[in-house]
Amino acid sequence: NEGNEYFREKDYKKAVVAYTEALKKKCEDTELNAVLHTNRGAAQFYLGNYRSALGDAIQAKKLKPTHLKAIIRGALCHMELKNFSEAIAWCEEGLRIDSKEKKLVEMRAKADKFKLEGGPFWRSERISPPLGQGRAVVGIDLLCERNIKLVLEPSNEEEEISDGLAELSIDGFHSDNATGAKVHLDADGNLHWPVLFLYPEHEQTDFIAAFHENSRFIDHLMVMFAELPPWDLEQKYLPSNIELYFEDEERAEMYKLNPEHTLLQVLQHQRYFVKAGTPRVLAFVKRSAFSEKYFSGKKVRRL
């Protein structure tokens, strides 16, 4: 009930936490657990966390194979992730349950079209100012006002690490990546960024598709690690046990972030450069053997 209330208020982060707490109760009601996973997946979806949302849709479908809402959510996630073949499969599964479900019929047609075309072409779009302030196009000036610095062409190494997650197009300004996420300006004049988290110890990544520039890193960590990830076999990645860094490659220095800082505060740092349109941070476990070895011989500064 608490999660549903937060969801109605569009406080999706708190909704995720509430649904997670409900799931931790390990209720034996399969129907309820399917609903909890579906609801948490919906909240994650609206936060732009499409992979987490898909994980919840999969769990909900395992618990209740005919749960149409979970199937629709899973198909939507695959669409956002550009997994068009998987989206088609999920749509077909849902249409076997209800052949007239409008959302699935439309999504199936769209997925067929994108698959045939090899996916939508990277678009050149412009960020417009908040509604009610005219339609003048804003571009790089928007970032200059915020003291945010860009690197337009990533190195080959970064392209390998990000696995093609982001491409930058300057016509106005946006980043567009494999999930379809892009930096965008909301009606209140705030930017929402796609942000990549790298976990060097486990060669894993997390991708947040819409990180509000005034959100704190700790807020996202609380949501991302409300449940331990399957690759964290030692159960070390707790929000209070994670340290975040960014690398200044030009000076071969690492900067340790304060998790209480907002994304904008980090992006405005004089040595932070946004590469390929997607901010990225590295995450380590405090005082772990891996982090001590990783930082051995490196100069580390604090923000």
Side-chain angles (χ1 to χ4, degrees):
N1 290 338
E2 184 180 298
N4 291 344
E5 186 62 33
Y6 283 132
F7 195 96
R8 280 192 290 271
E9 295 171 358
K10 298 186 179 181
D11 193 338
Y12 301 121
K13 291 178 186 176
K14 288 183 179 178
V16 167
V17 173
Y19 292 135
T20 298
E21 288 301 312
L23 285 164
K24 285 180 180 178
K25 298 297 180 184
K26 299 188 184 300
C27 171
E28 294 182 2
D29 187 334
T30 302
E31 182 89 15
L32 177 58
N33 287 331
V35 170
L36 288 169
H37 275 293
T38 301
N39 289 358
R40 187 174 68 174
Q44 292 279 27
F45 185 90
Y46 284 115
L47 286 168
N49 301 332
Y50 303 123
R51 294 187 189 281
S52 296
L54 178 59
D56 272 318
I58 290 169
Q59 290 302 316
K61 190 157 69 79
K62 283 181 181 177
L63 292 166
K64 186 181 178 183
T66 59
H67 195 10
L68 207 55
K69 283 187 177 180
I71 292 171
I72 292 171
R73 182 67 56 197
L76 284 168
C77 290
H78 278 304
M79 289 294 289
E80 293 291 342
L81 294 167
K82 303 280 192 291
N83 301 332
F84 302 121
S85 294
E86 289 85 350
I88 291 169
W90 278 64
C91 287
E92 289 178 344
E93 188 173 351
L95 289 169
R96 284 195 291 270
I97 299 168
D98 182 353
S99 61
K100 296 181 180 179
E101 170 53 55
K102 185 178 179 182
K103 289 181 181 178
L104 290 174
V105 171
E106 292 177 352
M107 207 183 326
R108 175 71 166 79
K110 188 181 292 186
D112 268 335
K113 179 175 181 288
F114 285 160
K115 184 182 178 183
L116 186 65
E117 295 175 353
F121 295 104
W122 298 121
R123 300 175 303 278
S124 177
E125 296 180 356
R126 298 170 183 263
I127 296 177
S128 297
L131 297 176
Q133 294 187 17
R135 299 299 298 171
V137 172
V138 293
I140 296 299
D141 289 347
L142 184 69
L143 303 181
C144 292
E145 290 170 8
R146 286 167 163 78
N147 295 318
I148 296 175
K149 297 164 289 297
L150 301 177
V151 175
L152 302 187
E153 294 185 2
S155 67
N156 291 335
E157 181 181 358
E158 285 154 358
E159 287 176 339
E160 290 172 7
I161 290 173
S162 67
D163 195 26
L165 268 174
E167 289 191 5
L168 182 65
S169 173
I170 300 298
D171 181 5
F173 170 82
H174 82 269
S175 74
D176 202 353
N177 44 61
T179 68
K182 65 191 73 172
V183 60
H184 66 274
L185 193 68
D186 66 23
D188 296 319
N190 300 305
L191 288 178
H192 298 250
W193 290 84
V195 175
L196 182 66
F197 286 74
L198 304 168
Y199 308 99
E201 181 174 2
H202 296 279
E203 298 183 347
Q204 297 287 333
T205 62
D206 270 325
F207 186 72
I208 297 177
F211 195 131
H212 191 293
E213 63 181 349
N214 292 322
S215 289
R216 303 178 305 167
F217 279 89
I218 187 61
D219 295 329
H220 282 278
L221 291 178
M222 292 296 288
V223 172
M224 293 158 62
F225 293 94
E227 289 184 348
L228 292 171
W231 45 262
D232 181 18
L233 300 179
E234 297 179 42
Q235 301 187 348
K236 300 185 296 184
Y237 282 78
L238 304 172
S240 60
N241 204 32
I242 295 173
E243 294 181 332
L244 300 176
Y245 295 81
F246 73 81
E247 187 170 6
D248 181 350
E249 295 180 358
E250 183 179 334
R251 296 183 179 179
E253 296 176 344
M254 302 289 292
Y255 285 83
K256 183 179 178 182
L257 312 187
N258 180 343
E260 299 289 333
H261 280 172
T262 65
L263 175 61
L264 181 58
Q265 286 176 299
V266 173
L267 296 184
Q268 289 177 329
H269 188 273
Q270 60 181 355
R271 296 306 304 170
Y272 196 97
F273 299 90
V274 178
K275 298 178 181 179
T278 303
R280 61 200 67 193
V281 295
L282 292 88
F284 300 86
V285 172
K286 290 179 182 176
R287 294 180 292 277
S288 69
F290 179 87
S291 64
E292 289 179 5
K293 182 179 180 181
Y294 188 93
F295 291 109
S296 177
K298 287 186 171 68
K299 184 180 290 186
V300 178
R301 299 181 181 274
R302 293 177 182 271
L303 265 65

